Amino acid sequence: MAATLALAAAVAIEDAVRTCLPDIGVRLALKWPNDLLIDGAKLSGILLERTGDAIVIGMGINLASAPNLPDRATTALGDHGVSVTPEAMQARLADAMTRWIAVWREQGLSAIIARWEARAHPHGTPLTARLPDGQVLTGSFHGLASDGALRLGLADGSAHVIHAGDIFLV
C-alpha cells in the first residue's frame, strides 16, 4: 500500500505545477509511476523510501533550470517563461499533498488512479519498459491496474503488468 503513495505524490505535483502554469500551450502529462512531463520532457520526479514505520517522499521539480541527462529530455518551468520561487512552489505542493493524501486515505487508491490516468499520456502511447531483471519490453500504455501497476499492451494483444521498472516514452 505504501508504494501507491508515489501515485498520490505524482498527482499532487501535477496539481501544484498546473496552478502556476499560464495557458501557454504546453502539455503536462504524468508518466508511470511518478514523473511529470512538459511536452514529453521530464520536469519532476519522486523517490519514496521506507524508514521504520514511516515513508519519506522526496520530490524534485525543476524550477529555474534542468539537468542535462543523456537518456531523456528534461525541462524546467523557467524554460517555459514561468518564474516561481522555491518557497511559493513548496506552499503549493504542501497544499496539494495535503489534499491528495486525504483522498488517498479517505477514498482509496481508485480515486488516485482515476485522477492519475486523467493526467497521464494517452492510452496507446508507445512505451519501452526496462524491468529489474534486465528484460526490455516495448508496447503501449494501457492504463493502470487496480493496484497502481502499469499495464503495458504488447504486440500480440496481451497486456503485461509492471510493478517496477524504468519506463520510457518511445
Side-chain angles (χ1 to χ4, degrees):
M1 184 70 163
T4 63
L5 279 172
L7 298 173
V11 166
I13 282 184
E14 190 276 340
D15 193 1
V17 168
R18 188 172 293 281
T19 67
C20 65
L21 270 180
D23 187 15
I24 55 176
V26 298
R27 171 152 162 67
L28 279 179
L30 291 169
K31 182 180 75 65
W32 188 85
N34 52 25
D35 288 343
L36 180 60
L37 310 177
I38 292 183
D39 293 335
K42 185 173 178 170
L43 175 71
S44 70
I46 302 165
L47 294 174
L48 274 69
E49 185 173 322
R50 179 180 288 270
T51 178
D53 290 339
I55 302 295
V56 178
I57 304 173
M59 301 176 176
I61 303 172
N62 300 328
L63 300 180
S65 63
N68 185 9
L69 300 178
D71 63 343
R72 67 191 74 191
T74 59
T75 192
L77 289 175
D79 296 336
H80 302 278
V82 176
S83 178
V84 60
T85 66
E87 295 80 14
M89 182 53 76
Q90 182 182 18
R92 286 179 166 135
L93 187 54
D95 289 345
M97 279 297 294
T98 299
R99 283 192 313 277
W100 286 105
I101 293 298
V103 168
W104 180 79
R105 286 182 173 146
E106 296 164 13
Q107 297 177 35
L109 183 57
S110 62
I112 298 297
I113 288 174
R115 174 63 179 233
W116 193 98
E117 285 191 328
R119 299 297 195 213
H121 41 78
H123 280 239
T125 298
L127 302 175
T128 295
R130 289 188 199 142
L131 304 183
D133 65 1
Q135 183 180 16
V136 176
L137 298 174
T138 299
S140 61
F141 177 64
H142 278 210
L144 301 183
S146 62
D147 64 355
L150 175 74
R151 292 178 53 239
L152 183 70
L154 303 177
D156 66 4
S158 67
H160 187 85
V161 177
I162 298 173
H163 290 93
D166 291 325
I167 306 301
F168 299 90
L169 297 174
V170 179

